[in-house]
Amino acid sequence: MLHSIDFLGRNGYTVYSIDYPLAPENKHPAALISVLKALAYVRQQHGVNRCVMFGDSAGGSLAATATALLGSKSALSQLETQTGVSLSDMKFPEVDRLLCLYPILDAQASFEGASLPVSIGLKFIYDCYAPADGSGFCFCSMRDHITSSFPKTLLMAGKSDPIYKSSLRGRELLQDRGVQVDYKEYPATHAFLGFPAGWVLPSEFRQSAVDSLEDILSWLADKPIPTHTRAKQPLVPWHDRALGFMEAGLLSGTAPLLIYLMLGSASWIGFTLYGLWMVAVSAGPCCFLVEAWQTA
């Protein structure tokens, strides 16, 4: 999430990043308990009495669910009974606002209109994360504990994101409960704010990343979120673009599975092209390594 938060530090905000336990080794609510403990630690050790909860993707779901728990003593008590973790004795900072980037707020809504590969991937992820008893793990499962006192919220999503309907469902829930919620949609896919500037991406995706930074800072400063103006994209040096091109290729390790799912018996063609692509994008880093070794 580093790309999603470093701009906040540069603009004077203090950011505490939570390294919560991951699935499948740690199923829900292990990560949620970790977030609550981290909040209590930040208050006790750093004297933070008020904070903004900020999360993207799965982190957005955790941030929203933790915020709902902190606003409901009954929900917190239920979680304490379920897990055996003493939560009622902890002192937490007051959540002043909630900011969620392309969050997973409703698991079922994520499947609406999703393609077969995306549906398979989402089901695998949810099965790894969901508790064994089959209970709900997303924010919308907390609907009975959400009231109009819920903090002011900003939801941001990409229209090309396969799970963007999850954000829409979350917005509807908050609006039905009388919560002040702002919603901003961008012509981009999932994790658009986290894409490095040097990656080769469609212009709209890069523009969405720049615009969302401006929108977040405006919202935090209680300024109106721009609706029509577009922020200027920064110039990216040619060597950063080259390195970004290689990095994006090397990180596409899940491509073989998607190729097989989409092409079936003709997947050997895709595998061949993918292999050539990986060799090409790997050549640059290998050259850097060889050069460094020779000059060592």
Side-chain angles (χ1 to χ4, degrees), residues 108-173:
Q108 294 304 315
S110 305
F111 291 97
E112 296 179 7
S115 62
L116 178 60
V118 170
S119 297
I120 293 174
L122 288 175
K123 186 179 185 307
F124 173 76
I125 293 171
Y126 294 161
D127 288 345
C128 287
Y129 183 78
D133 61 6
S135 58
F137 60 91
C138 280
F139 171 72
C140 284
S141 64
M142 299 283 297
R143 63 179 67 250
D144 293 336
H145 302 283
I146 298 172
T147 66
S148 58
S149 62
F150 194 86
K152 179 181 178 181
T153 300
L154 173 61
L155 302 178
M156 310 174 81
K159 187 62 183 294
S160 301
D161 187 349
I163 65 170
Y164 90 98
K165 290 185 179 179
S166 173
S167 296
L168 297 179
R169 196 65 55 82
R171 179 184 64 170
E172 293 170 0
L173 170 59

Side-chain angles (χ1 to χ4, degrees), residues 156-160 184-189 192 208 211-212 215 225:
M156 310 174 81
K159 187 62 183 294
S160 301
K184 190 68 182 289
E185 196 171 85
Y186 302 85
T189 186
F192 58 83
S208 296
D211 289 344
S212 61
D215 294 342
I225 298 178

Side-chain angles (χ1 to χ4, degrees), residues 1-288:
M1 190 181 172
L2 179 61
H3 295 293
S4 303
I5 61 176
D6 58 357
F7 76 98
L8 292 172
R10 293 197 300 270
N11 283 275
Y13 292 95
T14 300
V15 180
Y16 298 92
S17 181
I18 302 174
D19 187 16
Y20 56 84
L22 303 177
E25 292 82 5
N26 302 278
K27 290 182 175 290
H28 179 82
L32 185 59
I33 294 293
S34 180
V35 171
L36 294 174
K37 288 182 175 180
L39 285 168
Y41 174 85
V42 166
R43 173 168 177 172
Q44 180 181 0
Q45 298 296 323
H46 297 274
V48 176
N49 294 317
R50 299 176 63 205
C51 68
V52 175
M53 290 290 281
F54 177 26
D56 66 348
S57 193
S61 177
L62 285 174
T65 306
T67 300
L69 279 169
L70 295 181
S72 173
K73 291 183 178 180
S74 61
L76 202 62
S77 177
Q78 290 177 16
L79 183 62
E80 186 176 47
T81 302
Q82 174 188 348
T83 61
V85 179
S86 179
L87 300 172
S88 56
D89 296 333
M90 296 182 182
K91 293 185 178 180
F92 304 99
E94 178 186 352
V95 178
D96 185 59
R97 299 186 184 197
L98 171 65
L99 169 56
C100 295
L101 288 168
Y102 27 84
I104 304 172
L105 301 180
D106 187 300
Q108 294 304 315
S110 305
F111 291 97
E112 296 179 7
S115 62
L116 178 60
V118 170
S119 297
I120 293 174
L122 288 175
K123 186 179 185 307
F124 173 76
I125 293 171
Y126 294 161
D127 288 345
C128 287
Y129 183 78
D133 61 6
S135 58
F137 60 91
C138 280
F139 171 72
C140 284
S141 64
M142 299 283 297
R143 63 179 67 250
D144 293 336
H145 302 283
I146 298 172
T147 66
S148 58
S149 62
F150 194 86
K152 179 181 178 181
T153 300
L154 173 61
L155 302 178
M156 310 174 81
K159 187 62 183 294
S160 301
D161 187 349
I163 65 170
Y164 90 98
K165 290 185 179 179
S166 173
S167 296
L168 297 179
R169 196 65 55 82
R171 179 184 64 170
E172 293 170 0
L173 170 59
L174 292 174
Q175 289 176 336
D176 289 343
R177 294 295 189 273
V179 178
Q180 183 180 352
V181 53
D182 296 307
Y183 177 78
K184 190 68 182 289
E185 196 171 85
Y186 302 85
T189 186
H190 194 73
F192 58 83
L193 184 57
F195 286 138
W199 282 22
V200 180
L201 297 167
S203 176
E204 287 299 323
F205 288 11
R206 289 187 279 112
Q207 185 66 53
S208 296
V210 177
D211 289 344
S212 61
L213 295 179
E214 298 292 330
D215 294 342
I216 290 173
L217 294 175
S218 296
W219 186 76
L220 290 175
D222 279 326
K223 297 178 181 178
I225 298 178
T227 56
H228 301 293
T229 58
R230 293 162 64 92
K232 184 178 180 180
Q233 293 188 27
L235 295 176
V236 180
W238 67 267
H239 57 278
D240 278 352
R241 289 189 180 275
L243 290 174
F245 181 78
M246 298 177 206
E247 182 184 30
L250 290 172
L251 290 177
S252 58
T254 57
L257 174 61
L258 296 178
I259 290 172
Y260 177 75
L261 291 173
M262 290 185 292
L263 299 182
S265 60
S267 58
W268 67 270
I269 301 175
F271 288 142
T272 301
L273 295 174
Y274 177 74
L276 294 174
W277 166 258
M278 294 303 292
V279 170
V281 299
S282 299
C286 288
C287 290
F288 284 115

